[in-house]
Amino acid sequence: MDDIVLKIEKCIWTSYDNEDSIGLYSGLSGIIMFYDYLCEVYPIEEYEDKLLVIIEKANECIENNGSVSSLCHGLAGYGLILLSLKNKSIDISEDYFENIDSYLLNDFNSFCESNEYDFMHGAMGIAMYFIERHKLRNQPHIAVLLNLFAEKLINKITTDFNKVLLKSDQTGKDYYTFGMAHGVAGYINFLLYFQKHFKSLNVISPLKVCIDFLKQYKKFDNASKQHYPNVFILDSAENIPSRLSWCQGDLGVSNAFFNAGIFIKDKDLVKEAVSLMNESAALKFEDSGVKDFGICHGSAGILIQFYLASKKYDVDYSKQINYWWNILKKQTNNFEEYLSFDKESNKYNAENNLLFGSAGLALAILTIENRIDTKWLQMLNLN
């Protein structure tokens, strides 16, 4: 696989300078994460130099363009990557992180007040940054901040989860989402991740609320072959079906159910998680809704979830991994082009970021080849 990963690296290096977003999912931070892992696999000066160049580029983008706060597009994602760097030769000052803290704090509090907890774009994503700050620096004021955040979130979930989950689209229609990126499965995994680092928190009650909420909407869809929808529109009581993907549908729900089942010692929930994964494993490309190679709703995201399930569920999904690997080869023209499908424009565009592009693909390849660990998947809310 060396040739493939290094081929992808060359593609990323020739195009990274056109990127003006610092985001973890959508911009330079995801590329920084790729080079950080690449330095671990190939510990040569060239890749370390490139890592430093891209960090400098991200800092220039912040100085010239400013930044939003989200994990997906902004400073929470960039700060999280800097905190998570495996390359210890890169030293980021405490003052720098304190500046990030203060920038994020206003939006963090504002998002909580307005129930904008969305993992990719809201408070849970920013909380991931502060959790990492607490893990590394163990600062009392950050521990207080996170405990207050957790207490509010847990109280809101157990009191009125519908209100927390409710969103409105541009036309004013209200809806719920269920998947890993924006919805209920994402809340489950986030609560479990949070509890891992703040063991005094009692997350059992909110977990059960989330689980019961999901089960209310379980309904097999003959077209998508999925049990859990992507979106439920309240006005019309309409389920919008999911694709087979990381961001939505049964794969993410399976991961969340398995993690929760182990934590609360619910054997039936674990069995349901395995059943969902097994049914997803039987799905063919033609029924999947997949249109590109990416992590978000493409083949690389499916591959990585079957790989993770193989490690956790004590089920061999190697046939599915091989099947989707061959799909991936076709989608990328044998790893020569990396085109992401844009639903709004109905066009394919070259992408090199983490979520839709070649950086995510390279990390997925290094992972399924057991050359890097799976810790980076926590930044996709996969536990």
Side-chain angles (χ1 to χ4, degrees), residues 270-302:
V270 171
K271 287 179 182 177
E272 182 165 356
V274 175
S275 176
L276 284 171
M277 190 62 65
N278 287 341
E279 289 189 51
S280 296
L283 270 177
K284 297 298 182 184
F285 172 73
E286 293 76 17
D287 295 319
S288 67
V290 170
K291 295 182 181 296
D292 63 26
F293 73 92
I295 291 280
C296 187
H297 39 246
S299 299
I302 295 168

XYZ file of all heavy atoms in Angstrom, residues 270-302:
237
model
N -26.371 -4.907 22.542
C -25.178 -5.350 21.818
C -25.582 -6.259 20.654
O -25.067 -6.121 19.536
C -24.203 -6.078 22.771
C -23.072 -6.731 21.981
C -23.628 -5.105 23.793
N -26.514 -7.170 20.900
C -26.993 -8.060 19.826
C -27.637 -7.266 18.697
O -27.458 -7.577 17.524
C -27.998 -9.073 20.393
C -27.377 -10.160 21.238
C -28.451 -11.106 21.776
C -27.840 -12.185 22.669
N -28.889 -13.058 23.248
N -28.399 -6.221 19.064
C -29.023 -5.387 18.030
C -27.963 -4.659 17.205
O -28.093 -4.518 15.984
C -29.991 -4.384 18.651
C -30.690 -3.541 17.610
C -31.907 -2.790 18.147
O -32.264 -2.986 19.321
O -32.482 -2.019 17.373
N -26.906 -4.202 17.878
C -25.810 -3.533 17.173
C -25.172 -4.474 16.154
O -24.927 -4.088 15.000
C -24.764 -3.051 18.172
N -24.906 -5.688 16.563
C -24.289 -6.665 15.655
C -25.230 -6.998 14.503
O -24.807 -7.121 13.351
C -23.882 -7.938 16.433
C -23.354 -8.998 15.471
C -22.829 -7.609 17.488
N -26.521 -7.124 14.814
C -27.507 -7.413 13.768
C -27.550 -6.293 12.727
O -27.594 -6.561 11.512
C -28.894 -7.594 14.391
O -29.876 -7.787 13.403
N -27.530 -5.037 13.175
C -27.521 -3.905 12.248
C -26.281 -3.928 11.361
O -26.357 -3.670 10.157
C -27.572 -2.579 13.026
C -28.905 -2.151 13.615
C -28.700 -0.944 14.527
C -29.899 -1.820 12.517
N -25.131 -4.233 11.967
C -23.896 -4.284 11.191
C -23.936 -5.430 10.189
O -23.508 -5.276 9.037
C -22.693 -4.430 12.134
C -21.341 -4.257 11.475
S -21.033 -2.620 10.739
C -21.034 -1.565 12.198
N -24.475 -6.572 10.603
C -24.550 -7.724 9.701
C -25.469 -7.445 8.512
O -25.171 -7.833 7.372
C -25.037 -8.957 10.455
C -23.974 -9.519 11.382
O -22.787 -9.240 11.227
N -24.394 -10.312 12.349
N -26.592 -6.780 8.771
C -27.491 -6.435 7.666
C -26.842 -5.409 6.736
O -27.001 -5.477 5.510
C -28.818 -5.911 8.213
C -29.666 -6.986 8.873
C -31.055 -6.495 9.219
O -31.726 -5.935 8.323
O -31.465 -6.659 10.385
N -26.114 -4.477 7.302
C -25.386 -3.502 6.479
C -24.320 -4.207 5.646
O -24.054 -3.817 4.496
C -24.724 -2.443 7.370
O -25.686 -1.673 8.067
N -23.710 -5.231 6.218
C -22.676 -5.973 5.507
C -23.222 -6.686 4.278
O -22.475 -6.962 3.331
C -22.022 -6.987 6.451
N -24.509 -6.986 4.290
C -25.124 -7.690 3.156
C -25.507 -6.752 2.017
O -25.830 -7.209 0.915
C -26.363 -8.449 3.636
N -25.464 -5.454 2.272
C -25.864 -4.485 1.252
C -24.844 -4.402 0.118
O -23.638 -4.372 0.354
C -26.013 -3.090 1.862
C -27.379 -2.687 2.409
C -27.298 -1.315 3.030
C -28.423 -2.702 1.322
N -25.337 -4.335 -1.095
C -24.485 -4.162 -2.259
C -24.371 -2.678 -2.616
O -25.201 -1.855 -2.222
C -25.051 -4.943 -3.455
C -25.109 -6.443 -3.241
C -23.714 -7.019 -3.023
C -23.750 -8.525 -2.858
N -22.404 -9.078 -2.555
N -23.361 -2.363 -3.363
C -23.110 -0.991 -3.791
C -24.344 -0.373 -4.450
O -24.683 0.784 -4.190
C -21.924 -0.971 -4.758
C -21.695 0.359 -5.413
C -21.164 1.423 -4.703
C -22.021 0.553 -6.749
C -20.959 2.657 -5.309
C -21.816 1.776 -7.363
C -21.280 2.828 -6.640
N -25.036 -1.145 -5.264
C -26.189 -0.626 -6.019
C -27.319 -0.164 -5.105
O -28.128 0.681 -5.492
C -26.707 -1.703 -6.974
C -25.768 -2.068 -8.104
C -24.608 -2.949 -7.672
O -24.682 -3.557 -6.566
O -23.621 -3.030 -8.433
N -27.387 -0.677 -3.886
C -28.448 -0.309 -2.951
C -27.986 0.666 -1.870
O -28.765 1.039 -0.995
C -28.991 -1.568 -2.250
C -29.666 -2.523 -3.208
O -30.398 -2.041 -4.099
O -29.468 -3.745 -3.070
N -26.725 1.071 -1.939
C -26.133 1.816 -0.823
C -26.369 3.321 -0.866
O -26.271 3.993 0.166
C -24.618 1.570 -0.795
O -24.005 2.150 -1.941
N -26.636 3.867 -2.058
C -26.729 5.319 -2.202
C -25.386 6.001 -2.275
O -25.295 7.235 -2.295
N -24.299 5.242 -2.327
C -22.939 5.794 -2.331
C -22.576 6.299 -3.727
O -22.797 5.603 -4.717
C -21.930 4.718 -1.873
C -20.500 5.181 -2.093
C -22.159 4.379 -0.410
N -21.996 7.503 -3.767
C -21.643 8.111 -5.057
C -20.171 8.486 -5.174
O -19.728 8.917 -6.234
C -22.497 9.358 -5.302
C -23.985 9.067 -5.458
C -24.752 10.338 -5.754
C -26.250 10.078 -5.880
N -26.573 9.208 -7.028
N -19.419 8.384 -4.078
C -17.995 8.735 -4.162
C -17.185 7.925 -3.159
O -17.698 7.024 -2.499
C -17.784 10.243 -4.010
C -18.228 10.782 -2.657
O -18.228 10.016 -1.680
O -18.557 11.985 -2.574
N -15.916 8.290 -3.018
C -14.975 7.496 -2.226
C -14.812 7.992 -0.790
O -14.102 7.369 0.006
C -13.592 7.527 -2.899
C -12.902 8.856 -2.752
C -12.043 9.099 -1.701
C -13.137 9.888 -3.664
C -11.417 10.327 -1.555
C -12.518 11.109 -3.527
C -11.657 11.337 -2.466
N -15.411 9.114 -0.420
C -15.051 9.837 0.797
C -15.412 9.153 2.094
O -16.128 8.150 2.150
N -14.934 9.755 3.185
C -15.258 9.285 4.534
C -16.716 9.571 4.869
O -17.407 8.730 5.444
C -14.357 9.981 5.578
C -12.905 9.508 5.452
C -14.879 9.759 6.991
C -12.596 8.187 6.081
N -17.222 10.739 4.506
C -18.521 11.190 5.003
C -19.645 10.257 4.580
O -20.323 9.667 5.430
C -18.817 12.608 4.519
S -20.328 13.306 5.260
N -19.889 10.146 3.291
C -20.959 9.275 2.823
C -20.491 8.449 1.635
O -21.240 8.200 0.703
C -22.212 10.082 2.473
C -21.934 11.391 1.803
N -22.224 12.593 2.390
C -21.335 11.680 0.637
C -21.849 13.573 1.586
N -21.322 13.045 0.510
N -19.220 8.049 1.704
C -18.644 7.276 0.609
C -18.000 5.983 1.062
O -18.127 5.557 2.212
N -17.266 5.374 0.167
C -16.725 4.032 0.386
C -15.670 3.967 1.489
O -15.587 2.972 2.208
C -16.120 3.507 -0.918
O -17.103 3.431 -1.925
N -14.832 4.997 1.608
C -13.804 4.982 2.649
C -14.430 4.963 4.039
O -13.939 4.277 4.946
C -12.883 6.196 2.502
N -15.534 5.702 4.228
C -16.229 5.693 5.505
C -16.839 4.348 5.821
O -16.869 3.907 6.985
N -17.344 3.655 4.801
C -17.908 2.318 4.990
C -16.804 1.327 5.339
O -16.934 0.523 6.276
C -18.658 1.879 3.719
C -19.868 2.782 3.480
C -19.100 0.420 3.820
C -20.512 2.614 2.115
